[in-house]
Amino acid sequence: KPLVGGGKIIKILAWSSFLFFFLALVLSWEDVVTSLSGDIGQLRKEHYVGDEGNSWLSTLPNGIKQICVIFNIIFGIPWIMQFLAFFSLSIQKMRKRYAILLLVGSLSGLLNNIVAAGRSGFVFWGLSLGACYLFFKPFLSKNNKRSLRSLLIGFLFLFALYLGVVTVSRFGDSSGGANDSILSYGGQSFINFCYYFDKFTCPYPTLQNVLPLTYYLVGNAVGSANDIQEGRAHRSG
């Protein structure tokens, strides 16, 4: 059954996520264009060593920056907006425009992924989208299913094109070629996971490493992800 008052909340979130996406797009436009038109492989290497420009969030004045950081986290988690998009169509019986606004708003997190020449965000976006569709499919009308398929096919085509370009750019020059590199890359996360817990022992009790945003919002300086990574590697020997 539709939630009482749920429609108003969804409308607010839909327009907020949509407007935040375009705010992030405008403020990061130059970085996005530079990433898409540059050497993606080199950009990714620079990202790994921490040699990259400041995020558009860092250019905002204090107060506004902290609010935008919170919005960026909420709207940057795609499954939240995707879940609400399908929920608005199937359960709340709202107009399609709000589902479209929510789906567009769910793209906010992908902008940072493009700037860093990454692919993980796009993969997670597609996986969470498929999960939401399968979950709400029995509750969607035939008309809504057709509309969603047309919209999502367009999204997925653009994503597949981007993923293909990034993959070839990052792995095409390796000794084993793109195909061998992709197979090796597929197991890299598991290898890193095993290595981390085998080698690293935290020398002091703190939540700063696992809750950096909390420390950042209350005013404590937190280093970049690369600084934290180097510090952990140094302590692990």
Side-chain angles (χ1 to χ4, degrees):
K1 295 181 180 180
L3 296 177
V4 178
K8 292 182 179 179
I9 297 175
I10 291 176
K11 288 179 181 178
I12 293 173
L13 288 174
W15 281 109
S16 298
S17 64
F18 179 79
L19 293 175
F20 181 80
F21 167 74
F22 275 96
L23 172 65
L25 180 61
V26 170
L27 294 178
S28 63
W29 178 253
E30 292 185 4
D31 293 331
V32 170
V33 172
T34 300
S35 179
L36 292 177
S37 60
D39 186 341
I40 295 177
Q42 182 61 32
L43 287 172
R44 192 59 180 174
K45 291 178 181 178
E46 293 174 356
H47 174 75
Y48 282 138
V49 300
D51 183 16
E52 53 185 329
N54 293 327
S55 167
W56 63 269
L57 289 168
S58 65
T59 64
L60 299 176
N62 287 329
I64 296 178
K65 176 169 63 177
Q66 280 75 10
I67 294 174
C68 286
V69 166
I70 295 174
F71 283 166
N72 189 53
I73 293 174
I74 296 174
F75 299 142
I77 302 175
W79 69 264
I80 295 179
M81 300 298 107
Q82 292 168 354
F83 182 91
L84 291 175
F86 284 96
F87 181 82
S88 68
L89 280 177
S90 59
I91 307 300
Q92 291 295 123
K93 307 298 182 183
M94 298 173 65
R95 295 182 179 180
K96 296 177 186 177
R97 71 175 69 168
Y98 298 107
I100 294 174
L101 291 175
L102 286 164
L103 289 176
V104 172
S106 71
L107 302 175
S108 298
L110 301 183
L111 293 175
N112 292 333
N113 215 230
I114 293 175
V115 172
R119 300 167 302 169
S120 301
F122 288 82
V123 174
F124 292 146
W125 193 95
L127 291 175
S128 60
L129 180 71
C132 288
Y133 178 78
L134 292 176
F135 182 82
F136 285 102
K137 184 178 179 180
F139 310 103
L140 293 169
S141 66
K142 292 183 178 180
N143 184 35
N144 284 334
K145 287 180 183 179
R146 286 195 296 267
S147 300
L148 282 172
R149 287 195 195 104
S150 300
L151 179 65
L152 300 180
I153 286 174
F155 276 141
L156 294 177
F157 173 77
L158 293 175
F159 287 3
L161 181 62
Y162 172 79
L163 292 175
V165 171
V166 172
T167 299
V168 173
S169 297
R170 288 175 60 181
F171 298 133
D173 296 331
S174 62
S175 60
N179 293 333
D180 289 345
S181 297
I182 292 171
L183 292 175
S184 299
Y185 181 79
Q188 191 63 46
S189 297
F190 179 72
I191 294 173
N192 291 341
F193 175 83
C194 295
Y195 176 81
Y196 177 81
F197 281 96
D198 284 343
K199 299 294 183 181
F200 177 71
T201 300
C202 186
Y204 52 87
T206 178
L207 292 176
Q208 186 171 8
N209 288 341
V210 294
L211 296 173
L213 175 63
T214 303
Y215 280 76
Y216 174 76
L217 291 177
V218 298
N220 292 329
V222 177
S224 67
N226 187 67
D227 293 336
I228 295 175
Q229 182 181 13
E230 288 184 353
R232 289 176 174 176
H234 177 72
R235 297 187 191 101
S236 66

